[in-house]
Amino acid sequence: MAKNKVTVPADFGVENLYHEFHGNVIFKLQGGEKMRANFMILSYHSSVFVRLFLELNQSELDVEEFSVDSVRTFLEALYSGSIELNRDIFQNVYKLCHVFKVDWLSGRCKDYFKVLVNGITNQTEYSSILSLLEEASYCARITKCDELLTLIVNRIESLTNRVGLFVEPYMKSYLELDSSQLDLMVQITKQIPSSLLKIIKRHVEAFDGGLDQNTKYLLQQVELSMCIKENNLLFEELFDMLENLPSISLEDLRFVAKICRVGNKKFKDSENKTKLANQYSYQSYRHDYCNNCGYYY
């Protein structure tokens, strides 16, 4: 008779986790605390545990980089098959899932984060959105997966007041941001890229100096052809200002001239394609109409 295969998540009895004779491996926690667990139960959840305990014969694991509450919640979830998350332990639990490759629990963490993200509205405070974005960015760095980051970026992008609510305060001192943070703002404003030009223009007006690296990076990343279509006057004012910066180097002056030229060319090419498409559509319509009337051109 074939043996029934154990599938997880399952309820192994969380009370067993705290039974002194049950645990045969030790987790070393912060502050010198220790928790015992049973390697067989843990091994049902992940091949990482199988390798650590059954193949490498380890009997102790150092998890002091994680908070005590997060480790306790993580182990209790492996025993009970369920979990109650909160913002204080979310990051650590999610990282534990990644380190030990507990896929089902990682999925529960993602579900929890989705609920938080779906709660963002046009009335949500900037600090609350920022906190979730930072959590998602942290998770993306440790897991090399952008799933949570994509969730919140898409949510912010859906807000009608995203520029005033989030983008402008986030970029108030954009010289302090790195390229990955700037990329997020480009993504969030991709449908209204001229909003970034307004921020850049205010920055240039207030910044007494040459052309800084972050401004150059933004000008390279933003879709300038769309900016011209949205607000050509703003585009011309910004580039006139850039070309006349008092401390701009010859290299940067050439850079400004080049991206201005490229932006204008892309805009003109796009407009020409639109005109050709409209002409083709009109000619197709006339051809159909004439066929219906019995005339051919």
Side-chain angles (χ1 to χ4, degrees):
M1 179 182 288
K3 294 182 179 179
N4 293 328
K5 184 179 180 180
V6 176
T7 58
V8 292
D11 187 357
F12 296 99
V14 71
E15 67 278 0
N16 291 320
L17 181 61
Y18 297 100
H19 197 289
E20 62 177 316
F21 300 112
H22 174 77
N24 50 18
V25 292
I26 295 173
F27 285 80
K28 299 168 67 176
L29 312 179
Q30 291 178 357
E33 290 190 47
K34 294 181 180 180
M35 282 190 70
R36 301 179 69 88
N38 185 277
F39 72 76
M40 188 59 69
I41 289 177
L42 300 183
S43 297
Y44 285 132
H45 295 273
S46 166
S47 59
V48 174
F49 287 129
V50 172
R51 177 164 174 76
L52 289 173
F53 301 135
L54 301 182
E55 296 177 15
L56 299 180
N57 295 317
Q58 290 190 221
S59 59
E60 290 189 353
L61 292 181
D62 187 343
V63 288
E64 293 183 71
E65 66 176 287
F66 304 97
S67 69
V68 173
D69 286 344
S70 64
V71 176
R72 182 176 290 112
T73 300
F74 174 74
L75 292 176
E76 286 180 352
L78 302 188
Y79 270 71
S80 68
S82 62
I83 189 170
E84 290 187 13
L85 288 163
N86 60 60
R87 294 292 296 278
D88 292 334
I89 62 173
F90 169 75
Q91 282 189 11
N92 273 194
V93 172
Y94 188 68
K95 186 176 180 181
L96 282 162
C97 292
H98 173 70
V99 169
F100 294 110
K101 299 191 183 325
V102 183
D103 294 337
W104 74 265
L105 191 52
S106 178
R108 299 289 175 86
C109 291
K110 292 173 184 177
D111 291 341
Y112 169 79
F113 193 77
K114 286 178 184 177
V115 172
L116 297 178
V117 169
N118 289 336
I120 296 175
T121 69
N122 287 320
Q123 287 73 46
T124 303
E125 292 184 0
Y126 166 74
S127 59
S128 298
I129 303 176
L130 177 62
S131 177
L132 286 174
L133 181 66
E134 289 176 341
E135 283 196 34
S137 297
Y138 169 82
C139 291
R141 286 195 301 273
I142 63 171
T143 64
K144 309 301 181 185
C145 175
D146 292 340
E147 184 175 353
L148 300 187
L149 192 56
T150 299
L151 276 174
I152 187 165
V153 167
N154 289 345
R155 186 65 178 183
I156 298 172
E157 190 181 349
S158 72
L159 301 176
T160 56
N161 63 341
R162 59 190 177 279
V163 175
L165 176 65
F166 189 78
V167 178
E168 288 185 346
Y170 189 86
M171 296 191 68
K172 188 175 181 179
S173 302
Y174 72 69
L175 288 180
E176 301 171 4
L177 304 180
D178 61 33
S179 60
S180 65
Q181 293 171 310
L182 296 176
D183 286 339
L184 292 178
M185 296 304 103
V186 173
Q187 170 69 20
I188 288 170
T189 59
K190 66 181 180 181
Q191 299 301 324
I192 44 172
S194 63
S195 61
L196 279 186
L197 290 198
K198 292 179 182 178
I199 293 172
I200 294 172
K201 185 171 179 285
R202 284 199 297 267
H203 168 78
V204 172
E205 288 172 336
F207 185 67
D208 185 19
L211 191 61
D212 61 84
Q213 290 302 312
N214 276 10
T215 297
K216 290 175 68 174
Y217 184 81
L218 285 170
L219 291 171
Q220 289 174 305
Q221 301 306 314
V222 71
E223 187 55 68
L224 291 176
S225 60
M226 283 186 65
C227 294
I228 295 171
K229 185 174 183 179
E230 276 189 305
N231 194 333
N232 185 48
L233 178 60
L234 173 65
F235 176 86
E236 291 181 349
E237 288 177 346
L238 173 61
F239 276 86
D240 182 64
M241 185 182 300
L242 292 172
E243 289 170 354
N244 291 282
L245 284 172
S247 304
I248 192 169
S249 67
L250 181 60
E251 180 184 354
D252 285 344
L253 193 58
R254 288 171 178 165
F255 166 82
V256 169
K258 180 181 178 180
I259 62 170
C260 180
R261 184 169 61 252
V262 170
N264 274 303
K265 184 179 184 303
K266 287 185 68 176
F267 171 71
K268 290 176 182 177
D269 289 347
S270 176
E271 290 294 291
N272 288 335
K273 286 181 181 179
T274 301
K275 287 179 182 178
L276 287 173
N278 290 338
Q279 288 175 2
Y280 176 78
S281 177
Y282 175 68
Q283 289 171 355
S284 298
Y285 167 76
R286 284 196 61 192
H287 180 68
D288 291 342
Y289 177 79
C290 294
N291 276 337
N292 290 335
C293 294
Y295 295 95
Y296 296 88
Y297 287 83

